[in-house]
Amino acid sequence: IANKKDENKNIVRVLSTNCGVDKNAIYKALRKKDIKINGKRVSENITLNQGDVIEAYIFLPEVGQKLYEKVFENDFVVAPSL
């Protein structure tokens, strides 16, 4: 959530300073519309207001390619036949 110090700043600046995310990754997320402001997807570098809710889905390369792991596997799962 954007606070008073984040008001009237661009989304790229806020995410790069507060979260430590690379600016190139933020611009890529904007192009892919992977950033939401107040529940709406944005594709441009907008200025924030106090109280804006920021949701960013950004791939972090240092985490690695595999962002999930298999938790459960069932031998009885059958693919539907077409």
Side-chain angles (χ1 to χ4, degrees):
I1 298 176
N3 54 21
K4 183 73 174 168
K5 70 179 181 93
D6 297 331
E7 192 170 17
N8 295 325
K9 290 187 180 177
N10 292 335
I11 186 72
V12 173
R13 174 179 263 182
V14 171
L15 287 177
S16 65
T17 57
N18 293 346
C19 301
V21 179
D22 184 31
K23 288 185 179 183
N24 291 330
I26 298 170
Y27 283 118
K28 183 176 182 179
L30 282 171
R31 285 193 306 271
K32 293 173 61 178
K33 294 187 177 182
D34 285 342
I35 297 178
K36 292 182 182 181
I37 305 295
N38 297 327
K40 295 183 181 179
R41 293 187 183 272
V42 294
S43 63
E44 57 188 31
N45 194 7
I46 63 170
T47 56
L48 296 173
N49 296 317
Q50 184 176 359
D52 283 348
V53 178
I54 305 163
E55 297 176 54
Y57 305 96
I58 298 175
F59 176 74
L60 301 174
E62 57 270 5
V63 173
Q65 295 291 330
K66 190 174 181 183
L67 298 177
Y68 62 91
E69 65 179 68
K70 192 186 310 183
V71 178
F72 176 76
E73 184 175 17
N74 191 345
D75 294 332
F76 301 106
V77 176
V78 178
S81 59
L82 298 174

